Every structure is written in C-alpha cells, then in structure tokens.
Amino acid sequence: KAMENAISYPVDTGISTVEAKKIVSVKPANLRYEPREIASLSIAELKGVLRFSTAKQGEEGAGEVESLAEEPKKWSGMDKEALRQMVKDITEDPDEIANLVAKADMLIDDELFQPPPPKEECPICFLPLKDVSQVKYQECCGKRLCTGCYMVGMKREQSQILFSHLGIGKRPLCPFCNTPEPKSNQEAIARLKKRCKLDDANACHVLGSYYRFGELDLVQDIDKGFELLFRGAELGSVDAHQNIAYAYDSGEGLEQDAQKAVHHYQISAMGGNLNSRHNLGNMEATALNYKRAVKHWMIAASAGFDFSLDFVKKGYK
C-alpha cells in the first residue's frame, strides 16, 4: 500500500496558470521549465505547446494546428524557427505558454508511465527477446534471433564451419533463412550497408555501433557512427535511442546534454527498452524525485529487469 501511494501520480490536467507556474518551476530533468518567452523555448517545449494547444483554439487556423498536433510525424522534422512561428500564431503570453507546457508534461507522463509493450519475439522459438546483448542480428534477412537459437544453428553447422576454414565444404547457414553466413567481416559490412539502404532501423543501429567503436575491421568513425544511430532512431530503433541517450548522458561521443538524454531515454523506455527505463529512474533519483524514480524502477522490475528490482528492494529497507 505504501508503494502504491509512493508511485501515484495526478492525471487531471485542469490546472490554473498559478499552478502551472509552480509545476514548471521544478528541475529540467523532469522536462518541466520555468515560464519563458517563446525565443528561449526548446524544440521539445515548442512541440508540446503545439500538441496540446488545440483544446483552447477556436479561431481561424485552428484546424491546421489540430491536424499537425494529431499527426506529429508531419512536423517532427521542422526546425526551431518554423515551430516558433507556429507557436506565435497561438500565443506569445509566457503564462499561457507555461500552462500549456505544464499540461503537455502531465499528459506525456501518462504515456511515459504506461507498462512496456510486449517484447519482440525470436522468429524461430517465439520466446521474448531479452537484452540487446543476447540478440543476434542477421545481416542476410534482417531478423533478430535469440542467442540460443543462433548458437544451436551454429552447432548444427559446426562441421561445415571447420571445412569452410579449410577451404572445402559449405559455409554455415543462417538459422532462419538458410543464407550462407558471410565469408568475412567485409562481406558482413556490405550486407549491413545494403540493409541500411532499405531503411532497416536495426541495421542502422548495428552498423552505427560498429563505426562508433571501430569493430569488424572498420576504421573508427564516431561521426559516421552517430549519423547511422540517429538514422536508426528516426526509423524506430529503441536500442539506437538508448545508445544516443547514454552518449548525451555521459558525454561519450556527443556533447553532454541531460535534457536530450532524457528525451531519448524516454522514447526508448516507451518502446520497451528496460535499460533506458532503469536509467530514467536513476536520473530522477539523482534529482531527488524519488516518487518518479520508483515508478520507473517498478515498471522495469515488473518486466523482469533485475537491477531495477534490486533498487526497489532497497527502498523498503
């Protein structure tokens, strides 16, 4: 019962301007901000104002804003100047902006603290895929296999692996599509590049990681690596979002930016990445927001993430 009280969170968004000022004055790690002029708003705030302004719009032009708010993909790529101009068409009053941003935050929290979606399944054994370290991406067919099915397939082809090194016999086959495994790292990279051209989000994430750390005989290219990671994130890879978030959080490869780290952690967590969910809890706890931290850890622990379960246990001591 105490835990339920600790993780309760208001969902009512009918707040006054005075209440909004109080809400948006807490720390930036919560994606809540002090009332400011439009010129100083971040892209996330501008989008929040646009997304949740339609409820109070009744004059001419509201239909266009509403359609953009209902389909955020149409305006997600706009630059800051374009978004700012659209906000100015609604209001320039910092109090109204503060109110709208506060409402946006509360509604975003409703989405953020939902249980994670069902885990992706291995296409061979149909068991849920676990952490990315226990998943093998196949460059031939673009499938993600659990390491168990992959290793069983490789064991079955063990004699062929031996013969292939001796220059005789067949190469081992992909456990899913029966395509011969690549002869070399260069062939594996060529397959990944081909998958990237087909807008395969997982391929962009994998190849970006290889470039970032100089793996598979690639010359390390951090800029190229993050270019591919951002592309993978844009195409929907929650693992790419998690890697980008960690880079922003730690300053390894990208300029340290807590706000951008939270943004990518949130997208990744809502997509089902439990590492990101756990890290969001850590960031909230560091900022002394223990109720929000516990909510993140409870969600991750309920989905089977042991680190979060350990943190929840400590909270009872």
Side-chain angles (χ1 to χ4, degrees):
K1 184 65 177 179
M3 182 61 70
E4 291 176 0
N5 293 334
I7 66 174
S8 63
Y9 196 76
V11 296
D12 180 25
T13 59
I15 55 178
S16 66
T17 301
V18 175
E19 292 171 326
K21 287 182 179 179
K22 293 179 181 178
I23 292 176
V24 299
S25 63
V26 299
K27 65 166 189 39
N30 275 351
L31 294 183
R32 299 193 161 107
Y33 308 91
E34 297 179 359
R36 290 176 290 191
E37 297 291 345
I38 293 175
S40 64
L41 293 178
S42 68
I43 290 181
E45 291 173 306
L46 291 168
K47 289 179 180 179
V49 171
L50 287 173
R51 181 179 178 187
F52 299 103
S53 64
T54 55
K56 60 191 295 297
Q57 279 289 311
E59 59 268 20
E60 185 178 355
E64 180 183 358
V65 178
E66 184 173 359
S67 65
L68 290 169
E70 289 178 350
E71 299 184 49
K73 288 184 179 180
K74 288 185 177 181
W75 51 273
S76 61
M78 287 187 176
D79 59 26
K80 194 168 184 176
E81 290 301 323
L83 289 169
R84 184 180 296 136
Q85 184 58 49
M86 292 181 68
V87 173
K88 285 184 177 180
D89 293 339
I90 300 169
T91 179
E92 293 188 59
D93 186 331
D95 289 345
E96 290 187 6
I97 293 173
N99 196 356
L100 290 168
V101 171
K103 289 184 178 182
D105 287 337
M106 296 182 76
L107 292 174
I108 289 171
D109 277 352
D110 289 343
E111 183 179 359
L112 175 62
F113 289 114
Q114 291 296 316
K119 292 183 178 180
E120 179 185 357
E121 294 179 346
C122 171
I124 295 178
C125 66
F126 300 108
L127 292 177
L129 295 176
K130 297 183 179 180
D131 184 77
V132 66
S133 63
Q134 301 181 39
V135 174
K136 176 65 171 65
Y137 177 79
Q138 295 298 98
E139 305 90 352
C140 46
C141 54
K143 298 296 184 182
R144 285 162 35 106
L145 311 179
C146 68
T147 51
C149 287
Y150 178 76
M151 294 307 296
V152 167
M154 291 299 99
K155 186 176 181 180
R156 186 182 63 229
E157 306 287 347
Q158 194 168 25
S159 60
Q160 294 186 1
I161 295 175
L162 175 62
F163 288 135
S164 66
H165 284 301
L166 296 175
I168 57 177
K170 297 180 179 180
R171 283 182 284 164
L173 305 178
C174 167
F176 182 81
C177 68
N178 285 333
T179 299
E181 290 287 312
K183 294 179 181 179
S184 61
N185 290 339
Q186 289 76 16
E187 184 178 348
I189 295 298
R191 290 184 181 182
L192 280 171
K193 290 180 178 179
K194 184 177 180 180
R195 297 294 309 177
C196 288
K197 290 181 179 179
L198 297 174
D199 289 338
D200 186 323
N202 292 318
C204 292
H205 166 245
V206 172
L207 185 58
S209 298
Y210 288 160
Y211 270 111
R212 182 184 174 191
F213 297 107
E215 298 176 350
L216 260 65
D217 299 333
L218 286 173
V219 177
Q220 187 176 23
D221 189 335
I222 295 177
D223 292 339
K224 178 68 173 178
F226 277 106
E227 178 185 342
L228 286 164
L229 285 175
F230 275 104
R231 186 181 173 195
E234 183 180 353
L235 292 170
S237 170
V238 296
D239 295 327
H241 276 293
Q242 195 263 339
N243 285 346
I244 293 168
Y246 182 79
Y248 276 127
D249 191 11
S250 63
E252 297 179 8
L254 293 172
E255 183 178 354
Q256 197 166 21
D257 189 320
Q259 183 177 325
K260 290 181 180 179
V262 169
H263 171 71
H264 287 283
Y265 274 142
Q266 287 186 335
I267 295 175
S268 180
M270 288 187 287
N273 188 296
L274 301 183
N275 277 299
S276 293
R277 178 71 68 179
H278 179 78
N279 289 341
L280 282 173
N282 292 347
M283 295 180 76
E284 294 290 0
T286 301
L288 306 182
N289 285 339
Y290 297 118
K291 288 184 179 180
R292 292 173 63 85
V294 169
K295 290 185 74 172
H296 284 301
W297 291 333
M298 288 287 287
I299 292 172
S302 298
F305 197 69
D306 291 338
F307 285 125
S308 292
L309 180 60
D310 291 339
F311 276 50
V312 172
K313 288 178 182 178
K314 292 178 182 178
Y316 282 102
K317 293 182 179 179

